[in-house]
Amino acid sequence: MANQFQLFKRRRFSAMFFTQFLGAFNDNIFKQALILVLTYTAASQLGVEVSILNNLAAMLFILPYFLFSALAGQIADKFEKSKLTRLIKLLEICIMIIAAVGFVFEWYALLFVALFLMGTQSTFFGPIKYAYLPQAMREDELVGANGLFQMGTSLAILLGMIIAGVLTQITQPLFWISVTVLFVAAIGYFAARFIPTMPAMQPELKINWNIFTTSMATVRYLYSLPFLFFVILGNSWFWFYGATFLTQTPEFSKVILHGDESVVIFLLTLFSVGVSIGSLLCKSLTKNQVSLRLLPFGIAGLSIFAIDLYFSLSGLNINASSAELFGISDLWGLSGSWRVFADLFFLGFSGGLYIVPLYASMQAYAPKSHRARIVGANNIFNAIFMVGSAIFSIAVLNALGLTLPQLFLVTGILNVIFGLFLYIKLNKHIKHAVIQTHDDERNRHD
């Protein structure tokens, strides 16, 4: 694992790592702070249900992924990536200025505009960062680089949510939220200035600005590459799976564990640290090779620990007669709580083993000329699956009337079925796929 962290000494890796880490960190500070403001302040001021505002916020952030991912992939294939990244980080600073004005003056409509723009900015950055890695890394560095990226993303999401929670509890929270998001955006732009130049993959590409025909063309092209199509289905299933569990974490923390806000953060931390450790271990376990050999272990773990979470939550016997919610220290001594904590940690760990080989395969096997557009197609499917997760959870919990532990049980069982289908399809089509290498043209900037 030591060699994996040696990548931080290479400017071609560390500059993009910190740029994407700070971007994900800022996204989640802003999103979580906005959700908390909507929940505890805006809903009562506007006379609107909290659920309506929060669902509107979620929709506005994810909508750009449907609309602009294919266009973003074209642009990332046509133009040089370091310059594009700096332009996008400048855009982030402008968006955070809009958000700061919205927070300080409590103009909620402006905050929703900023949220949509942040989703758009993230949509255009996604194809750049994931198409950058296989261009900048050697083949034997790609799995390690993806493991570090996945670790960084998990920690950035968690830290962003924690910082947002802290900022909303201090004096003049809206002012300090504004200062923080602007500061992080500025540091992100500074990090982007160190990203080395990477030649454009298809500079002669004529961009189709019609987002609908472009999206359809991108999906059709992906479907013509069966191995990559199923890799991306596997990627998107991870986002469906993770969203199904993480979205319910606050509710089962409060309703089943009878825990306070610190318990929610603790459970999210367990999951995120699990993903990080699983992601980092992928390099050692695959011996630096782009390989799907860890995928069955990831699939098995995601199902085993989801199903066990059902039994561990169902077996808890918590006396919730007191109106006061439990803190982390209160839950430590409760019989069965450790099993719940272990299940969440190993769910995250299994997710790391599952997702890193798929991301590395997507990058390694994608045709060089269309790599960013493949990532754009991946983002479209991710968005569809995340929306599907919300619809699935509502159907199971409300229409069918099942409990949260039963939702986790059903999801774990579905994962067995999907995982077997995915593994069979990938093994069938990988025989006809070829790894695309940049070793003959990589511009070394260490």
Side-chain angles (χ1 to χ4, degrees):
M1 195 179 296
N3 290 337
Q4 191 166 4
F5 288 96
Q6 293 294 319
L7 287 174
F8 282 110
K9 296 181 179 180
R10 310 299 185 190
R11 182 162 67 93
R12 57 190 162 89
F13 173 79
S14 58
M16 183 58 86
F17 175 88
F18 287 110
T19 299
Q20 69 89 27
F21 176 88
L22 290 165
F25 180 52
N26 214 21
D27 274 358
N28 284 276
I29 294 175
F30 174 61
K31 284 193 297 182
Q32 187 68 8
L34 179 56
I35 287 172
L36 292 173
V37 168
L38 293 175
T39 301
Y40 293 102
T41 305
S44 58
Q45 289 183 359
L46 299 174
V48 180
E49 290 289 336
V50 172
S51 60
I52 293 176
L53 290 177
N54 285 344
N55 284 321
L56 176 61
M59 182 193 72
L60 284 174
F61 188 81
I62 203 168
L63 182 60
Y65 287 91
F66 287 110
L67 298 178
F68 305 127
S69 286
L71 177 61
Q74 287 186 89
I75 291 173
D77 275 330
K78 180 176 177 64
F79 297 104
E80 193 275 315
K81 294 179 180 62
S82 64
K83 183 177 180 180
L84 273 180
T85 301
R86 288 191 288 274
L87 289 173
I88 286 174
K89 299 307 287 185
L90 282 174
L91 177 62
E92 182 181 340
I93 294 174
C94 296
I95 296 168
M96 288 300 99
I97 291 173
I98 294 172
V101 173
F103 275 125
V104 170
F105 292 98
E106 298 185 46
W107 293 344
Y108 301 115
L110 192 61
L111 286 170
F112 280 127
V113 170
L115 184 65
F116 178 81
L117 292 175
M118 276 299 285
T120 301
Q121 184 260 354
S122 297
T123 299
F124 279 87
F125 183 47
I128 296 172
K129 66 180 180 181
Y130 283 117
Y132 171 91
L133 277 183
Q135 193 175 354
M137 302 292 110
R138 295 194 304 266
E139 187 179 325
D140 62 356
E141 295 172 331
L142 193 56
V143 174
N146 272 280
L148 290 169
F149 258 52
Q150 190 61 48
M151 174 203 73
T153 300
S154 297
L155 295 181
I157 292 170
L158 176 66
L159 290 172
M161 294 174 67
I162 293 173
I163 294 298
V166 171
L167 291 174
T168 55
Q169 299 302 312
I170 63 178
T171 306
Q172 295 183 307
L174 299 180
F175 170 78
W176 287 110
I177 291 168
S178 302
V179 170
T180 302
V181 295
L182 276 169
F183 179 69
V184 175
I187 297 177
Y189 173 73
F190 179 74
R193 294 192 62 83
F194 291 91
I195 297 173
T197 300
M198 289 291 156
M201 286 292 92
Q202 199 173 359
E204 74 284 357
L205 176 67
K206 184 177 180 180
I207 293 177
N208 179 0
W209 295 96
N210 185 320
I211 58 176
F212 301 106
T213 58
T214 297
S215 297
M216 291 302 298
T218 300
V219 172
R220 278 197 302 270
Y221 177 75
L222 174 65
Y223 193 69
S224 72
L225 304 169
F227 176 70
L228 286 171
F229 176 76
F230 286 107
V231 164
I232 284 175
L233 279 187
N235 282 345
S236 300
W237 175 255
F238 176 78
W239 290 103
F240 175 98
Y241 200 86
T244 301
F245 279 84
L246 296 183
T247 302
Q248 317 308 323
T249 299
E251 185 175 351
F252 91 71
S253 298
K254 182 178 180 180
V255 175
I256 300 177
L257 300 181
H258 203 59
D260 60 16
E261 292 87 344
S262 67
V263 173
V264 178
I265 295 299
F266 176 66
L267 296 181
L268 292 173
T269 301
L270 284 175
F271 185 86
S272 299
V273 170
V275 171
S276 300
I277 294 175
S279 299
L280 291 176
L281 282 176
C282 285
K283 173 183 178 290
S284 301
L285 295 174
T286 60
K287 296 181 170 59
N288 299 335
Q289 295 177 351
V290 177
S291 166
L292 297 176
R293 71 182 66 168
L294 293 180
L295 192 61
F297 298 98
I299 292 169
L302 287 171
S303 287
I304 289 169
F305 295 107
I307 293 170
D308 192 68
L309 184 61
Y310 161 75
F311 288 108
S312 60
L313 288 174
S314 300
L316 282 176
N317 185 19
I318 296 178
N319 182 9
S321 57
S322 170
E324 187 174 346
L325 297 174
F326 295 134
I328 298 172
S329 57
D330 300 313
L331 288 174
W332 281 126
L334 293 179
S335 176
S337 62
W338 278 85
R339 185 174 168 187
V340 175
F341 300 156
D343 284 334
L344 279 173
F345 172 82
F346 283 110
L347 268 174
F349 180 83
S350 302
L353 296 182
Y354 173 91
I355 195 63
V356 169
L358 288 174
Y359 265 114
S361 295
M362 178 182 70
Q363 294 161 2
Y365 286 93
K368 289 182 284 188
S369 60
H370 287 68
R371 185 172 280 138
R373 275 167 283 179
I374 293 294
V375 178
N378 177 70
N379 289 343
I380 293 172
F381 278 93
N382 286 354
I384 292 170
F385 273 64
M386 289 174 71
V387 171
S389 167
I391 295 171
F392 168 74
S393 298
I394 291 170
V396 170
L397 295 174
N398 298 101
L400 298 180
L402 300 186
T403 64
L404 284 173
Q406 288 171 334
L407 171 65
F408 301 149
L409 174 64
V410 171
T411 308
I413 294 171
L414 286 177
N415 184 70
V416 175
I417 299 169
F418 179 84
L420 286 172
F421 165 78
L422 178 68
Y423 193 67
I424 290 169
K425 288 294 185 180
L426 289 175
N427 272 339
K428 174 184 175 182
H429 292 295
I430 196 172
K431 301 169 186 176
H432 308 291
V434 179
I435 289 181
Q436 309 291 313
T437 178
H438 280 276
D439 287 342
D440 57 337
E441 59 183 79
R442 184 177 293 103
N443 189 2
R444 301 292 185 193
H445 293 274
D446 287 343

Short mmCIF file of all heavy atoms in Angstrom, two decimals, residues 226-258:
data_model
loop_
_atom_site.label_atom_id
_atom_site.label_comp_id
_atom_site.label_asym_id
_atom_site.label_seq_id
_atom_site.Cartn_x
_atom_site.Cartn_y
_atom_site.Cartn_z
N PRO A 226 -20.42 -3.83 -25.63
CA PRO A 226 -21.13 -4.58 -24.59
C PRO A 226 -20.40 -4.66 -23.25
O PRO A 226 -21.02 -4.52 -22.19
CB PRO A 226 -21.29 -5.98 -25.21
CG PRO A 226 -21.18 -5.77 -26.67
CD PRO A 226 -20.24 -4.62 -26.86
N PHE A 227 -19.08 -4.85 -23.28
CA PHE A 227 -18.36 -4.96 -22.01
C PHE A 227 -18.48 -3.67 -21.21
O PHE A 227 -18.79 -3.69 -20.02
CB PHE A 227 -16.89 -5.29 -22.27
CG PHE A 227 -16.06 -5.34 -21.01
CD1 PHE A 227 -16.24 -6.35 -20.09
CD2 PHE A 227 -15.13 -4.35 -20.74
CE1 PHE A 227 -15.49 -6.39 -18.91
CE2 PHE A 227 -14.37 -4.38 -19.58
CZ PHE A 227 -14.56 -5.40 -18.66
N LEU A 228 -18.24 -2.53 -21.87
CA LEU A 228 -18.33 -1.25 -21.18
C LEU A 228 -19.76 -0.95 -20.75
O LEU A 228 -19.99 -0.35 -19.70
CB LEU A 228 -17.80 -0.13 -22.08
CG LEU A 228 -16.28 -0.09 -22.24
CD1 LEU A 228 -15.88 0.92 -23.30
CD2 LEU A 228 -15.61 0.25 -20.92
N PHE A 229 -20.73 -1.37 -21.54
CA PHE A 229 -22.13 -1.17 -21.18
C PHE A 229 -22.45 -1.84 -19.84
O PHE A 229 -23.06 -1.24 -18.95
CB PHE A 229 -23.04 -1.73 -22.28
CG PHE A 229 -24.51 -1.65 -21.96
CD1 PHE A 229 -25.20 -0.45 -22.03
CD2 PHE A 229 -25.20 -2.79 -21.56
CE1 PHE A 229 -26.55 -0.38 -21.72
CE2 PHE A 229 -26.55 -2.74 -21.26
CZ PHE A 229 -27.23 -1.53 -21.34
N PHE A 230 -21.98 -3.08 -19.67
CA PHE A 230 -22.27 -3.78 -18.41
C PHE A 230 -21.40 -3.28 -17.27
O PHE A 230 -21.82 -3.31 -16.11
CB PHE A 230 -22.13 -5.29 -18.62
CG PHE A 230 -23.26 -5.88 -19.41
CD1 PHE A 230 -23.08 -6.30 -20.72
CD2 PHE A 230 -24.53 -5.99 -18.85
CE1 PHE A 230 -24.14 -6.82 -21.46
CE2 PHE A 230 -25.59 -6.50 -19.58
CZ PHE A 230 -25.40 -6.92 -20.88
N VAL A 231 -20.19 -2.81 -17.57
CA VAL A 231 -19.37 -2.17 -16.54
C VAL A 231 -20.11 -0.96 -15.96
O VAL A 231 -20.18 -0.75 -14.75
CB VAL A 231 -18.00 -1.73 -17.11
CG1 VAL A 231 -17.31 -0.74 -16.18
CG2 VAL A 231 -17.11 -2.96 -17.30
N ILE A 232 -20.69 -0.16 -16.85
CA ILE A 232 -21.40 1.04 -16.41
C ILE A 232 -22.70 0.69 -15.71
O ILE A 232 -23.08 1.35 -14.72
CB ILE A 232 -21.61 1.98 -17.62
CG1 ILE A 232 -20.28 2.68 -17.93
CG2 ILE A 232 -22.72 3.00 -17.36
CD1 ILE A 232 -20.28 3.55 -19.14
N LEU A 233 -23.38 -0.36 -16.13
CA LEU A 233 -24.54 -0.82 -15.37
C LEU A 233 -24.12 -1.20 -13.94
O LEU A 233 -24.82 -0.91 -12.97
CB LEU A 233 -25.19 -2.02 -16.05
CG LEU A 233 -26.13 -1.77 -17.23
CD1 LEU A 233 -26.81 -3.07 -17.64
CD2 LEU A 233 -27.18 -0.71 -16.90
N GLY A 234 -22.96 -1.84 -13.83
CA GLY A 234 -22.45 -2.21 -12.51
C GLY A 234 -22.11 -0.99 -11.67
O GLY A 234 -22.42 -0.93 -10.47
N ASN A 235 -21.46 0.01 -12.29
CA ASN A 235 -21.17 1.27 -11.59
C ASN A 235 -22.46 1.90 -11.07
O ASN A 235 -22.54 2.34 -9.92
CB ASN A 235 -20.50 2.26 -12.55
CG ASN A 235 -19.03 1.97 -12.76
OD1 ASN A 235 -18.43 1.21 -12.01
ND2 ASN A 235 -18.45 2.55 -13.79
N SER A 236 -23.45 1.96 -11.93
CA SER A 236 -24.70 2.64 -11.58
C SER A 236 -25.46 1.90 -10.49
O SER A 236 -26.12 2.51 -9.65
CB SER A 236 -25.57 2.82 -12.83
OG SER A 236 -24.89 3.58 -13.80
N TRP A 237 -25.35 0.56 -10.52
CA TRP A 237 -25.98 -0.21 -9.45
C TRP A 237 -25.38 0.15 -8.09
O TRP A 237 -26.08 0.20 -7.08
CB TRP A 237 -25.82 -1.72 -9.70
CG TRP A 237 -26.34 -2.55 -8.58
CD1 TRP A 237 -25.63 -3.22 -7.64
CD2 TRP A 237 -27.72 -2.80 -8.26
NE1 TRP A 237 -26.45 -3.87 -6.76
CE2 TRP A 237 -27.75 -3.63 -7.12
CE3 TRP A 237 -28.93 -2.40 -8.82
CZ2 TRP A 237 -28.93 -4.07 -6.53
CZ3 TRP A 237 -30.11 -2.83 -8.24
CH2 TRP A 237 -30.11 -3.65 -7.11
N PHE A 238 -24.08 0.42 -8.05
CA PHE A 238 -23.43 0.83 -6.79
C PHE A 238 -24.06 2.11 -6.26
O PHE A 238 -24.29 2.25 -5.05
CB PHE A 238 -21.93 1.02 -7.01
CG PHE A 238 -21.21 1.54 -5.80
CD1 PHE A 238 -20.89 0.69 -4.76
CD2 PHE A 238 -20.84 2.87 -5.70
CE1 PHE A 238 -20.22 1.16 -3.62
CE2 PHE A 238 -20.17 3.36 -4.59
CZ PHE A 238 -19.86 2.50 -3.55
N TRP A 239 -24.35 3.06 -7.15
CA TRP A 239 -24.96 4.31 -6.72
C TRP A 239 -26.40 4.09 -6.27
O TRP A 239 -26.88 4.73 -5.32
CB TRP A 239 -24.87 5.35 -7.83
CG TRP A 239 -23.47 5.81 -8.04
CD1 TRP A 239 -22.61 5.44 -9.04
CD2 TRP A 239 -22.71 6.70 -7.20
NE1 TRP A 239 -21.38 6.04 -8.89
CE2 TRP A 239 -21.42 6.82 -7.77
CE3 TRP A 239 -23.01 7.40 -6.04
CZ2 TRP A 239 -20.43 7.60 -7.20
CZ3 TRP A 239 -22.02 8.19 -5.47
CH2 TRP A 239 -20.75 8.29 -6.05
N PHE A 240 -27.10 3.20 -6.94
CA PHE A 240 -28.45 2.82 -6.50
C PHE A 240 -28.38 2.22 -5.10
O PHE A 240 -29.14 2.59 -4.21
CB PHE A 240 -29.03 1.79 -7.49
CG PHE A 240 -30.36 1.21 -7.09
CD1 PHE A 240 -31.54 1.71 -7.64
CD2 PHE A 240 -30.46 0.15 -6.19
CE1 PHE A 240 -32.78 1.19 -7.29
CE2 PHE A 240 -31.67 -0.39 -5.83
CZ PHE A 240 -32.85 0.14 -6.38
N TYR A 241 -27.45 1.30 -4.93
CA TYR A 241 -27.32 0.56 -3.67
C TYR A 241 -26.92 1.50 -2.53
O TYR A 241 -27.53 1.49 -1.46
CB TYR A 241 -26.25 -0.52 -3.86
CG TYR A 241 -26.32 -1.65 -2.87
CD1 TYR A 241 -27.16 -2.73 -3.10
CD2 TYR A 241 -25.52 -1.65 -1.73
CE1 TYR A 241 -27.21 -3.79 -2.21
CE2 TYR A 241 -25.57 -2.70 -0.84
CZ TYR A 241 -26.41 -3.77 -1.08
OH TYR A 241 -26.46 -4.81 -0.19
N GLY A 242 -25.88 2.32 -2.79
CA GLY A 242 -25.42 3.24 -1.75
C GLY A 242 -26.47 4.26 -1.37
O GLY A 242 -26.68 4.56 -0.19
N ALA A 243 -27.18 4.80 -2.38
CA ALA A 243 -28.23 5.78 -2.09
C ALA A 243 -29.35 5.17 -1.28
O ALA A 243 -29.91 5.81 -0.38
CB ALA A 243 -28.77 6.36 -3.40
N THR A 244 -29.70 3.91 -1.58
CA THR A 244 -30.77 3.24 -0.84
C THR A 244 -30.44 3.15 0.64
O THR A 244 -31.29 3.39 1.51
CB THR A 244 -31.02 1.83 -1.41
OG1 THR A 244 -31.37 1.93 -2.79
CG2 THR A 244 -32.13 1.12 -0.66
N PHE A 245 -29.19 2.85 0.96
CA PHE A 245 -28.79 2.70 2.36
C PHE A 245 -28.54 4.05 3.04
O PHE A 245 -29.04 4.32 4.13
CB PHE A 245 -27.54 1.82 2.47
CG PHE A 245 -27.86 0.35 2.40
CD1 PHE A 245 -28.00 -0.27 1.17
CD2 PHE A 245 -28.04 -0.40 3.55
CE1 PHE A 245 -28.31 -1.62 1.09
CE2 PHE A 245 -28.36 -1.75 3.49
CZ PHE A 245 -28.49 -2.37 2.25
N LEU A 246 -27.77 4.92 2.38
CA LEU A 246 -27.36 6.16 3.03
C LEU A 246 -28.53 7.12 3.21
O LEU A 246 -28.57 7.87 4.18
CB LEU A 246 -26.23 6.82 2.24
CG LEU A 246 -24.93 6.02 2.18
CD1 LEU A 246 -23.85 6.80 1.44
CD2 LEU A 246 -24.45 5.67 3.59
N THR A 247 -29.48 7.11 2.29
CA THR A 247 -30.64 8.00 2.43
C THR A 247 -31.46 7.64 3.65
O THR A 247 -32.06 8.51 4.29
CB THR A 247 -31.53 7.92 1.17
OG1 THR A 247 -30.74 8.27 0.02
CG2 THR A 247 -32.71 8.87 1.27
N GLN A 248 -31.47 6.34 4.00
CA GLN A 248 -32.28 5.90 5.15
C GLN A 248 -31.52 6.01 6.47
O GLN A 248 -32.12 5.80 7.54
CB GLN A 248 -32.72 4.44 4.97
CG GLN A 248 -33.20 4.06 3.58
CD GLN A 248 -34.27 4.96 3.02
OE1 GLN A 248 -35.13 5.44 3.74
NE2 GLN A 248 -34.20 5.22 1.71
N THR A 249 -30.22 6.30 6.43
CA THR A 249 -29.42 6.29 7.66
C THR A 249 -29.96 7.24 8.73
O THR A 249 -30.08 6.84 9.90
CB THR A 249 -27.94 6.61 7.34
OG1 THR A 249 -27.43 5.61 6.46
CG2 THR A 249 -27.10 6.62 8.61
N PRO A 250 -30.29 8.50 8.40
CA PRO A 250 -30.83 9.36 9.47
C PRO A 250 -32.11 8.81 10.10
O PRO A 250 -32.28 8.87 11.32
CB PRO A 250 -31.11 10.68 8.73
CG PRO A 250 -30.18 10.67 7.56
CD PRO A 250 -30.11 9.23 7.14
N GLU A 251 -32.98 8.21 9.27
CA GLU A 251 -34.25 7.72 9.81
C GLU A 251 -34.03 6.50 10.71
O GLU A 251 -34.59 6.43 11.81
CB GLU A 251 -35.22 7.37 8.68
CG GLU A 251 -36.60 6.97 9.20
CD GLU A 251 -37.60 6.74 8.08
OE1 GLU A 251 -37.29 7.05 6.92
OE2 GLU A 251 -38.69 6.23 8.39
N PHE A 252 -33.21 5.53 10.27
CA PHE A 252 -33.07 4.37 11.14
C PHE A 252 -32.19 4.68 12.36
O PHE A 252 -32.30 4.04 13.40
CB PHE A 252 -32.61 3.12 10.36
CG PHE A 252 -31.14 2.86 10.24
CD1 PHE A 252 -30.40 2.44 11.32
CD2 PHE A 252 -30.51 2.95 9.01
CE1 PHE A 252 -29.06 2.15 11.21
CE2 PHE A 252 -29.16 2.65 8.88
CZ PHE A 252 -28.43 2.25 9.98
N SER A 253 -31.34 5.72 12.25
CA SER A 253 -30.60 6.17 13.44
C SER A 253 -31.56 6.68 14.51
O SER A 253 -31.41 6.37 15.70
CB SER A 253 -29.62 7.28 13.06
OG SER A 253 -28.66 6.82 12.15
N LYS A 254 -32.55 7.44 14.08
CA LYS A 254 -33.47 8.05 15.03
C LYS A 254 -34.57 7.08 15.46
O LYS A 254 -34.86 6.93 16.65
CB LYS A 254 -34.10 9.30 14.43
CG LYS A 254 -35.05 10.03 15.37
CD LYS A 254 -35.60 11.29 14.72
CE LYS A 254 -36.56 12.03 15.66
NZ LYS A 254 -37.11 13.25 15.04
N VAL A 255 -35.19 6.40 14.48
CA VAL A 255 -36.38 5.58 14.77
C VAL A 255 -36.02 4.24 15.40
O VAL A 255 -36.66 3.80 16.35
CB VAL A 255 -37.20 5.36 13.47
CG1 VAL A 255 -38.36 4.42 13.72
CG2 VAL A 255 -37.70 6.69 12.92
N ILE A 256 -34.98 3.58 14.87
CA ILE A 256 -34.63 2.24 15.36
C ILE A 256 -33.60 2.30 16.47
O ILE A 256 -33.75 1.66 17.52
CB ILE A 256 -34.13 1.36 14.19
CG1 ILE A 256 -35.22 1.22 13.12
CG2 ILE A 256 -33.73 -0.03 14.70
CD1 ILE A 256 -34.80 0.43 11.90
N LEU A 257 -32.52 3.07 16.26
CA LEU A 257 -31.48 3.17 17.28
C LEU A 257 -31.80 4.22 18.34
O LEU A 257 -31.14 4.26 19.38
CB LEU A 257 -30.13 3.51 16.63
CG LEU A 257 -29.59 2.50 15.61
CD1 LEU A 257 -28.25 2.97 15.07
CD2 LEU A 257 -29.47 1.12 16.23
N HIS A 258 -32.81 5.06 18.06
CA HIS A 258 -33.19 6.13 18.99
C HIS A 258 -31.98 7.04 19.26
O HIS A 258 -31.74 7.49 20.38
CB HIS A 258 -33.74 5.55 20.29
CG HIS A 258 -34.63 6.49 21.05
ND1 HIS A 258 -35.79 7.03 20.52
CD2 HIS A 258 -34.53 7.01 22.31
CE1 HIS A 258 -36.35 7.82 21.41
NE2 HIS A 258 -35.61 7.84 22.50
#
